[in-house]
Amino acid sequence: MVVSFGAILGGYDRRDGKMILSFDTDGGVYPHERFATNGSGYSQARDYIDDRFQYDLSLEEAVGITIGAIRQAGKHVTSVSHPLDPPPTVKIINKDGIINISEESIVQWIMETEEEEVAHLFAKQIPQDNPVAKQQN
């Protein structure tokens, strides 16, 4: 199996509002209205998000769905030992700027939602004094 990689670009401007574009390995550019997925397992991630997407999701719900989609996609890609190790980088882009979801928060979410036999992989990555869930740039 070949693992593919693509890029997703998201942004927001005052004239056009939100913008989501994905790029494939052949140079194709694709606009998206609600969300974008690409890479190995993209169709499983797309289906996972499509079943749960709503325009009025809280940031916490949106991050949870995003991480769940990555986990779901990884279950179908045999070349990945675990889809959330290392934890993914998650950023939220809106009219106010970029919100970086901290790695500690992502690991904490994984610990709270993963099956017990997988969660131990991430236990070493959670600082004992993690009061910060999000940082805004």
Side-chain angles (χ1 to χ4, degrees):
M1 170 174 257
V2 175
V3 176
S4 66
F5 170 79
I8 298 173
L9 173 67
Y12 189 95
D13 69 42
R14 290 184 181 101
R15 187 185 74 200
D16 297 325
K18 68 177 179 68
M19 173 187 54
I20 306 169
L21 301 171
S22 65
F23 305 85
D24 65 20
T25 55
D26 295 326
V29 179
Y30 308 94
H32 300 272
E33 177 60 30
R34 302 182 314 149
F35 60 86
T37 62
N38 66 16
S40 298
Y42 81 93
S43 62
Q44 290 84 9
R46 180 195 60 226
D47 293 346
Y48 184 92
I49 295 170
D50 199 41
D51 289 345
R52 293 159 178 81
F53 182 86
Q54 299 174 33
Y55 281 101
D56 61 349
L57 292 170
S58 70
L59 290 179
E60 292 77 16
E61 290 169 324
V63 170
I65 290 170
T66 300
I67 294 170
I70 294 168
R71 180 174 50 194
Q72 183 65 28
K75 290 178 180 179
H76 300 280
V77 179
T78 58
S79 61
V80 175
S81 61
H82 190 275
L84 300 175
D85 188 17
T89 300
V90 177
K91 296 180 184 277
I92 309 252
I93 302 169
N94 63 24
K95 63 182 170 59
D96 299 321
I98 299 172
I99 299 171
N100 295 307
I101 307 302
S102 71
E103 184 174 295
E104 291 84 11
S105 295
I106 293 168
V107 170
Q108 184 66 46
W109 187 91
I110 293 166
M111 291 293 294
E112 291 171 357
T113 60
E114 277 288 322
E115 295 85 358
E116 203 171 297
E117 65 271 11
V118 175
H120 75 278
L121 294 172
F122 304 98
K124 65 185 182 304
Q125 298 180 35
I126 300 177
Q128 296 303 316
D129 58 345
N130 176 25
V132 178
K134 300 177 192 151
Q135 301 170 343
Q136 185 161 350
N137 282 348

